């Protein structure tokens, strides 16, 4: 089977790596990929951007691709799946309407509200004066969310009223995020610990993947600005078997039921960002894709044939399937460029990247090869993932490997998986 993976991050490297292990996989193209995907067996990079959906369509047709798997949200929100399906190409990912679960916070909150799914109380604003009035009297902290896609910059948690006014000003008056800030969700601040719960859907059936936890802040002890994710591990002890069932019954299934009521079919990975406060679980966000960096530790633990799963999900044949997992714990540490998540420089040669071992694997995020040398090429550069008998062991494996790697300006958190309760 010939597979096309769309995207260029650590998630896509992990997808390609796991797909390549499948016997039925003959070839993987990654568009545009990175220096890591270029090195995987059966895998080749294609110089097409993830948002170039017409270019990707021509490529998939000309190469007679059997299955296309989409990593990032942007091509999904642009309607890549609709375009591919109109052209009779099999693919895995939600269509344009279903991708609104991530493409529009207002749409997502409305699904949650109408489906009676627990989430933070919220109001929608499209008028600056009304939003300002609301912020004058609301409880603090308060959370402001730009409605549209904003590359991870659209959510501001304001811990003072001044910060809330500043955030409102930058989104609605200065338009720092362009049209994404025309409409805002302003919502209640939730306390607790965050976990990621990702499921694979085929339009009718749902299979939960292993649970995981991300670390969104840049610095140790969850300090510093929000990022795309600085490290993740799987499974998380936060989600017990009992909670797993509760999340499926009270959150995931009612969400898909509400989408179905609107005649929206959801196919692909659905990512619920949850806030867990003892027994109370509320939805913080939905993403219409697999998580990054969650994919890296999750796929390190998968025993099942991943291509078979993706193929069956795309064909709506997930009924009666389940996924087998290694008992072990996997933990990924993101190595980033100095300055990330704001301005950073790229192009620095990376030393110390090693061959995969049975207990560690370096997934590339933003890298490229220049005159035979792997160089940094993004904010998040590598995700070094370790596999161990428990969380401490996985931590040791991941950090032992991380400490061997370096480039000018590399930094990483030292406390992935060590969050104090
Ligand atoms: P989102 O893109 O919606 O996941 O938001 C990014 C991050 O902001 C989340 O991972 C949380 O850490 C934080 N966040 C979002 N919504 C809330 C909320 N209602 N209460 C507390 N923190 C939140
Ligand atoms: N790890 C967070 C995300 O994928 O959005």
């Amino acid at each position: 089977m010939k597979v096309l993976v769309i995207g260029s991050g650590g998630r896509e490297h992990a997808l390609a790596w796991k797909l390549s292990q499948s016997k039925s996989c003959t070839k993987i193209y990654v568009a545009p990929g990175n220096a890591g995907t270029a090195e995987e067996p059966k895998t080749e990079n294609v110089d097409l951007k993830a948002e170039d959906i017409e270019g990707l369509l021509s490529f998939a047709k000309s190469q007679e691709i059997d299955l296309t798997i989409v990593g990032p949200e942007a091509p999904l929100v642009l309607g890549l799946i609709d375009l591919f399906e109109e052209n009779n190409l099999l693919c895995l990912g939600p269509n344009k309407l279903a991708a609104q679960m991530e493409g529009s916070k207002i749409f997502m909150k409305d699904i949650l509200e109408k489906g009676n799914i627990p989430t933070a109380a919220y109001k929608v604003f499209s008028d600056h004066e009304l939003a300002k009035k609301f912020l004058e009297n609301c409880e603090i902290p308060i959370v402001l969310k730009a409605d549209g896609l904003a590359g991870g910059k659209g959510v501001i948690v304001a811990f003072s009223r001044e910060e809330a006014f500043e955030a409102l000003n930058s989104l609605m008056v200065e338009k720092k995020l362009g049209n994404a800030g025309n409409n805002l969700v302003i919502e209640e601040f939730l306390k607790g610990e965050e976990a990621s719960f990702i499921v694979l859907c085929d339009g009718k059936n749902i299979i939960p993947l292993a649970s995981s936890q991300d670390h969104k802040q840049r610095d140790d002890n969850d300090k510093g600005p929000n990022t795309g994710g600085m490290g993740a591990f799987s499974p998380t002890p936060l989600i017990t078997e009992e909670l797993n069932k509760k999340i499926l019954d009270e959150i995931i299934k009612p969400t898909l039921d509400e989408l179905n009521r609107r005649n929206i079919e959801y196919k692909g990975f659905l990512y619920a960002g949850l806030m867990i406060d003892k027994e109370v679980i509320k939805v913080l966000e939905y993403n219409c894709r697999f998580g990054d960096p969650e994919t890296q530790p999750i796929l390190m633990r998968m025993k099942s044939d991943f291509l078979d799963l993706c193929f069956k999900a795309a064909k709506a044949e997930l009924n009666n399937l389940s996924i087998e997992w290694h008992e072990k714990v996997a933990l990924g540490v993101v190595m980033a460029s100095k300055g990330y998540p704001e301005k950073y420089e790229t192009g620095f040669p990376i030393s110390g990247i090693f061959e995969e071992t049975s207990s560690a694997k370096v997934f590339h995020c933003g890298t490229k090869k220049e005159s035979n040398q792997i160089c940094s090429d993004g904010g998040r550069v590598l995700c070094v993932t370790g596999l161990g008998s428990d969380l401490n062991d996985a931590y040791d494996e991941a950090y032992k490997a991380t400490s061997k790697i370096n480039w000018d300006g590399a930094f990483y958190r030292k406390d992935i998986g060590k969050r104090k309760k």
Side-chain angles (χ1 to χ4, degrees):
M1 208 184 302
K2 283 202 261 181
V3 189
L4 170 62
V5 174
I6 295 172
S8 62
R11 168 184 47 217
E12 288 73 24
H13 187 185
L15 292 172
W17 168 79
K18 192 70 199 161
L19 289 166
S20 75
Q21 294 169 9
S22 172
K23 282 203 189 74
S24 54
C25 174
T26 50
K27 181 84 193 171
I28 304 172
Y29 294 100
V30 190
N34 58 39
T37 54
E39 302 283 312
E40 293 300 334
K42 308 177 197 168
T43 307
E44 189 179 322
N45 287 347
V46 184
D47 192 15
L48 285 169
K49 291 215 164 64
E51 291 84 13
D52 178 7
I53 63 176
E54 292 287 349
L56 290 163
L57 173 69
S58 306
F59 178 82
K61 276 173 144 175
S62 69
Q63 296 298 321
E64 298 180 341
I65 296 293
D66 297 298
L67 175 66
T68 298
I69 301 173
V70 184
E73 62 279 12
L76 295 167
V77 171
L78 282 173
L80 180 143
I81 300 294
D82 310 61
L83 184 66
F84 273 49
E85 286 183 345
E86 279 160 24
N87 285 274
N88 297 317
L89 287 164
L90 187 67
C91 42
L92 183 61
N95 61 24
K96 193 172 182 173
L97 270 178
Q100 288 301 298
M101 287 299 278
E102 180 164 359
S104 164
K105 300 272 186 206
I106 297 174
F107 175 88
M108 183 263 294
K109 292 295 282 190
D110 192 56
I111 293 281
L112 294 175
E113 187 177 15
K114 303 289 179 351
N116 277 320
I117 298 148
T119 187
Y122 76 105
K123 277 188 188 304
V124 174
F125 292 94
S126 47
D127 180 280
H128 172 253
E129 282 309 310
L130 290 177
K132 200 168 155 213
K133 248 194 196 109
F134 176 81
L135 291 179
E136 276 162 10
N137 296 305
C138 70
E139 275 196 37
I140 299 289
I142 187 86
V143 184
L144 290 89
K145 299 187 172 185
D147 179 45
L149 282 189
K153 292 193 180 353
V155 175
I156 298 151
V157 182
F159 288 95
S160 68
R161 213 167 295 280
E162 291 68 46
E163 268 182 69
F165 289 135
E166 259 171 49
L168 177 65
N169 202 47
S170 87
L171 290 171
M172 269 194 162
V173 182
E174 292 170 11
K175 299 217 169 282
K176 286 251 166 81
L177 299 177
N179 290 340
N182 287 353
N183 301 300
L184 295 186
V185 166
I186 301 189
E187 72 176 27
E188 170 198 14
F189 174 80
L190 298 176
K191 285 198 300 280
E193 206 174 337
E194 283 180 53
S196 310
F197 195 90
I198 303 166
V199 298
L200 180 58
C201 307
D202 71 354
K204 292 194 272 299
N205 307 286
I206 305 163
I207 305 191
L209 304 186
S211 65
S212 58
Q213 247 180 303
D214 187 10
H215 295 64
K216 291 236 172 94
Q217 282 87 5
R218 185 191 58 197
D219 305 328
D220 282 7
N221 299 313
D222 293 335
K223 297 277 170 14
N226 222 8
T227 70
M230 294 299 293
F233 63 89
S234 167
T236 166
L238 256 191
I239 299 185
T240 57
E241 228 168 89
E242 205 184 334
L243 283 196
N244 198 79
K245 183 171 176 344
K246 191 174 153 119
I247 294 165
L248 274 174
D249 291 346
E250 295 176 19
I251 292 175
I252 304 292
K253 285 182 188 151
T255 300
L256 291 163
D257 287 346
E258 182 56 33
L259 284 167
N260 283 339
R261 260 195 288 281
R262 300 181 190 198
N263 291 322
I264 300 175
E265 186 185 69
Y266 198 99
K267 209 183 248 192
F269 298 99
L270 178 66
Y271 168 133
L274 304 174
M275 188 65 99
I276 303 181
D277 189 11
K278 297 187 187 83
E279 293 301 296
V280 182
I281 308 178
K282 291 188 178 174
V283 178
L284 283 177
E285 60 162 339
Y286 268 116
N287 294 322
C288 62
R289 52 176 172 79
F290 219 145
D292 191 345
E294 289 94 330
T295 304
Q296 293 85 309
I298 291 176
L299 290 185
M300 278 279 272
R301 297 186 53 235
M302 187 181 277
K303 273 198 206 163
S304 306
D305 184 318
F306 185 52
L307 177 53
D308 186 49
L309 271 173
C310 292
F311 185 69
K312 291 206 165 113
K315 302 258 289 175
E317 290 172 1
L318 281 184
N319 46 315
N320 302 323
L321 277 187
S322 58
I323 305 178
E324 271 190 86
W325 302 99
H326 288 288
E327 283 300 313
K328 292 187 167 180
V329 174
L331 184 143
V333 179
V334 169
M335 300 185 74
S337 300
K338 182 178 161 197
Y340 175 77
E342 280 101 37
K343 269 201 166 147
Y344 52 81
E345 286 178 47
T346 59
F348 298 105
I350 306 174
S351 64
I353 294 185
F354 54 87
E355 291 284 316
E356 176 178 348
T357 69
S358 59
S359 56
K361 165 84 187 166
V362 181
F363 292 109
H364 292 223
C365 311
T367 61
K368 74 170 174 213
K369 215 165 193 180
E370 278 171 6
S371 18
N372 235 15
Q373 165 69 50
I374 292 174
C375 296
S376 63
D377 191 38
R380 293 190 293 176
V381 176
L382 300 172
C383 178
V384 187
T385 308
L387 196 61
S389 54
D390 58 21
L391 192 54
N392 283 332
D393 194 26
Y395 175 97
D396 290 343
E397 291 293 348
Y399 277 95
K400 194 168 66 190
T402 303
S403 66
K404 293 181 188 151
I405 304 173
N406 200 14
W407 70 88
D408 198 357
F411 78 93
Y412 53 92
R413 276 180 66 158
K414 310 290 186 302
D415 67 342
I416 303 304
K418 295 274 181 196
R419 200 172 259 136
K420 289 184 196 76
K421 295 276 161 346

